[in-house]
Amino acid sequence: MSVVALVPFSGCDRVPPRPAIGADAKGEIRQFEEAGQASTPVVAAPAVAEGDDEPSDLKVEPPAKIVDRDLERWDAYLVGREQVGFSVTKVEPVGGGDAYVRYSMEEQLKIRRGKQVVQQWLKQTSLESVSGVFQEFESELSRGGEIVISRGAVGYNQMNVTVRRGEQKETHAIPWDAKYRGPFATQQSLRANPMKSGEERLLQSLLPVQNVVGTIRLKATDVINVAMLTGDSQKLLEIESTVKVDDRIVLTQLLWANDQGEVLKTYTPALDFATYRTDRDTATKVGTPKNDLLSATAIRVQSDADWASIGERSPITYRIKHRTQDPAALFESSPSQTITSVDDRSLLAVCDPFGAESSDSEPVGEADEIANSLIQSDHPTIRQMVKSLLVSEDASLDQKAETLRLGVHRHVRKKNFSRGFLSAAQVATEAEGDCTEHAILLAALCRAAGIPSRVAAGLLMLPPGEGQSQPLMAYHMWTLIWTGDRWAALDATLAEQPKFADRIMLVSSDLASGNEYRSLLPVLQVMGQVDVAIED
């Protein structure tokens, strides 16, 4: 699940040129456009639609007897053709007996963002009975020096989860059913009962990093010749994997498994991310990455207009085409954008930052006004910052919001891509970060000043790069404030507020869960999977 934890690192700055590369491993050719444009793998992602229902006779598979009792497996991680990390998975008996086993996975990644190389480390463990009943888990995520530790144990009809982020601690309970599995559910199911062509199955399991229960749908298609990391190929069963949370698709993958149910390769369209089973020496040969992560996620916008004329437009109508599913459920309607379906793969997004109130706009809620573990509007540092910025008590809401926006823009002096997702108090203290840090600090200042706020994530239009004629869109985060009758966008990464419709919102969140990855999951369904054009 490292691909989930990579989302905050995937924006937002000028997109560097993508280096020209050629053929991939033998048997699997990737097509590449001219230098500076994103690549499109020939390998197709699972073709799914938001409205697809599981077959009525398909039941959730209950936990099964654990097959593996003592093993160690290594996988290499690649973005495009560049190796960026590895993982080692172990299964070990607990206590020397036959009652329990412990699954563990350690993942390490190196990602380039601009001139910085971001290192991320994730370790997760799961205690299971040999009959397959999940007992407890622990995960530890380290990114840029910050560590987030999650622990959970199954009790009576619920799992109690504790999340520690620095000095912050949050606890919550997840309703739990006997048919739910732990974070290694897919691996356990396939090893206990390898799938056959045409077979489908449903699993319900705890999703690591997000700490929520998701539904995994596995659909085996056919045995095909699959290119491996070494350049040779193997005949493996192709399995389409679709993960849903609250009936919303959050992740699609392709898995390739052998006759014993071991997954030897995976491909995730988001970030052009692949894993390959290999040996320890090969997996751990990770050098300093050369390719910027942003180049793997940027979208070249098709338009006949030049950048100067686009920058004067408002509203702008974007035509968005998804390669595998209906995108309508992936984008939110709001006062500043109207979403209209064209067909089961396309939509029109009419974006206008000065638009009238939308009937689809989500109203302000209590969670938009109070502090939480990420938006710490009650922290002394945040309150002092508001006091120093808002010296006039007679200022209007718009004036207060703009003063706070400019205050954040000046305060976050150092661009730092390595931190991933800091809390507001950390940003206020350290004065560094990326778009996520700007958005969270501004949201906290607004709440402390009595202005309800949220964060929004989506696609931001950037000017064409050197030698290019078409603009780009990249992942970005900004702040929303409640003006009394509508939500309005504020962007503290900019010296001036944009005067045109330069962004398409995917999702907004009050971040009350304290889990930023859960809030950003919809972004994964867009990265590397949509084409965008500006309608004349």
Side-chain angles (χ1 to χ4, degrees):
M1 296 301 290
S2 277
V3 67
V4 176
L6 284 175
V7 174
F9 295 122
S10 59
C12 49
D13 200 13
R14 178 172 293 280
V15 181
R18 186 185 182 98
I21 46 181
D24 203 341
K26 180 180 178 182
E28 181 183 336
I29 305 298
R30 296 176 185 268
Q31 297 172 338
F32 298 91
E33 303 175 23
E34 61 180 293
Q37 296 194 27
S39 62
T40 304
V42 171
V43 176
V48 295
E50 187 69 30
D52 283 353
D53 294 322
E54 289 79 15
S56 58
D57 59 345
L58 192 60
K59 307 289 186 184
V60 174
E61 182 181 81
K65 187 175 181 180
I66 301 293
V67 172
D68 298 312
R69 304 292 178 85
D70 190 3
L71 65 78
E72 180 176 295
R73 297 288 185 266
W74 293 82
D75 292 279
Y77 288 1
L78 281 78
V79 172
R81 289 188 66 218
E82 185 172 51
Q83 187 169 341
V84 298
F86 67 89
S87 70
V88 55
T89 302
K90 298 179 181 180
V91 183
E92 301 167 298
V94 176
D98 295 326
Y100 296 96
V101 295
R102 176 172 284 109
Y103 281 78
S104 66
M105 175 183 281
E106 182 177 333
E107 304 175 314
Q108 295 187 30
L109 286 159
K110 287 184 179 180
I111 298 296
R112 177 170 292 282
R113 284 294 288 108
K115 296 180 179 180
Q116 293 177 294
V117 174
V118 179
Q119 291 188 302
Q120 180 171 282
W121 176 82
L122 172 65
K123 184 176 182 179
Q124 46 194 333
T125 63
S126 176
L127 181 66
E128 322 260 346
S129 71
V130 295
S131 60
V133 178
F134 171 67
Q135 305 290 320
E136 61 186 38
F137 85 96
E138 180 174 338
S139 69
E140 186 172 341
L141 175 63
S142 174
R143 53 205 178 167
E146 184 192 30
I147 297 177
V148 179
I149 299 174
S150 300
R151 293 188 177 95
V154 176
Y156 179 71
N157 291 335
Q158 69 180 31
M159 182 174 68
N160 299 308
V161 179
T162 300
V163 179
R164 289 185 178 273
R165 182 194 306 268
E167 297 180 356
Q168 297 287 326
K169 175 183 175 181
E170 287 198 350
T171 61
H172 65 278
I174 300 173
W176 198 260
D177 191 281
K179 64 177 177 290
Y180 294 167
R181 297 181 173 207
F184 296 88
T186 298
Q187 174 182 334
Q188 293 168 346
S189 174
L190 293 177
R191 289 287 289 127
N193 184 20
M195 296 183 75
K196 305 297 182 184
S197 297
E199 182 183 350
E200 296 186 50
R201 68 180 59 166
L202 283 182
L203 312 173
Q204 287 186 302
S205 75
L206 178 73
L207 302 181
V209 180
Q210 303 98 300
N211 297 335
V212 294
V213 174
T215 299
I216 305 170
R217 180 180 179 180
L218 302 176
K219 181 179 180 181
T221 55
D222 203 357
V223 175
I224 63 173
N225 205 38
V226 180
M228 302 303 292
L229 188 63
T230 53
D232 61 352
S233 59
Q234 294 189 39
K235 291 189 178 296
L236 302 173
L237 178 65
E238 184 173 273
I239 302 170
E240 298 176 354
S241 172
T242 305
V243 182
K244 285 185 176 181
V245 175
D246 297 329
D247 293 325
R248 185 171 188 173
I249 296 172
V250 297
L251 186 65
T252 55
Q253 290 181 301
L254 287 175
L255 318 176
W256 291 276
N258 62 17
D259 293 340
Q260 290 75 47
E262 289 189 272
V263 177
L264 303 187
K265 180 179 178 179
T266 73
Y267 178 71
T268 308
L271 305 180
D272 196 13
F273 186 86
T275 72
Y276 292 83
R277 177 63 46 81
T278 185
D279 57 78
R280 176 175 181 165
D281 289 342
T282 303
T284 54
K285 287 181 179 177
V286 182
T288 301
K290 297 180 177 62
N291 299 331
D292 194 299
L293 178 65
L294 190 53
S295 68
T297 59
I299 303 164
R300 189 165 298 282
V301 180
Q302 300 298 316
S303 175
D304 294 330
D306 59 30
W307 174 250
S309 64
I310 292 174
E312 296 176 352
R313 289 191 191 182
S314 193
I316 294 179
T317 299
Y318 298 92
R319 179 178 289 269
I320 301 170
K321 184 176 182 180
H322 201 287
R323 294 165 190 169
T324 62
Q325 63 175 289
D326 184 354
L330 301 177
F331 292 83
E332 286 190 8
S333 289
S334 74
S336 60
Q337 71 181 33
T338 302
I339 303 299
T340 305
S341 291
V342 175
D343 53 44
D344 62 358
R345 291 291 182 271
S346 304
L347 62 79
L348 293 178
V350 181
C351 298
D352 181 2
F354 314 107
E357 170 113 26
S358 167
S359 59
D360 296 326
S361 178
E362 184 177 348
V364 65
E366 182 183 1
D368 301 309
E369 302 176 282
I370 61 176
N372 58 48
S373 62
L374 287 168
I375 302 178
Q376 301 147 310
S377 53
D378 59 351
H379 194 279
T381 304
I382 299 296
R383 292 191 176 278
Q384 180 58 41
M385 192 171 176
V386 170
K387 184 178 180 180
S388 65
L389 289 170
L390 298 182
V391 295
S392 174
E393 297 181 358
D394 298 328
S396 67
L397 184 146
D398 288 344
Q399 291 171 328
K400 289 180 180 179
E402 180 62 7
T403 299
L404 295 176
R405 188 191 73 81
L406 289 173
V408 173
H409 179 74
R410 291 190 296 265
H411 182 75
V412 184
R413 297 181 297 274
K414 181 181 177 182
K415 178 147 300 199
N416 188 343
F417 301 108
S418 68
R419 306 305 300 274
F421 216 110
L422 298 180
S423 69
Q426 288 175 294
V427 183
T429 301
E430 300 177 22
E432 62 180 34
D434 196 2
C435 60
T436 54
E437 283 70 45
H438 286 79
I440 286 178
L441 177 56
L442 181 54
L445 294 178
C446 287
R447 290 187 190 180
I451 305 172
S453 64
R454 304 172 66 84
V455 296
L459 302 173
L460 175 71
M461 188 153 54
L462 300 171
E466 185 177 352
Q468 302 292 329
S469 59
Q470 294 177 319
L472 301 167
M473 292 202 109
Y475 163 76
H476 189 56
M477 180 174 282
W478 59 95
T479 308
L480 299 177
I481 61 165
W482 183 254
T483 64
D485 57 1
R486 66 190 297 273
W487 289 102
L490 294 178
D491 194 335
T493 65
L494 305 173
E496 296 182 359
Q497 277 284 87
K499 295 181 173 57
F500 70 107
D502 65 341
R503 62 200 64 204
I504 309 171
M505 187 173 71
L506 274 161
V507 63
S508 65
S509 174
D510 53 34
L511 294 181
S513 70
N515 189 321
E516 61 271 29
Y517 298 109
R518 194 184 311 172
S519 305
L520 297 177
L521 283 174
V523 177
L524 279 176
Q525 289 304 102
V526 171
M527 284 182 171
Q529 301 178 78
V530 298
D531 299 311
V532 180
I534 295 177
E535 296 280 284
D536 293 328

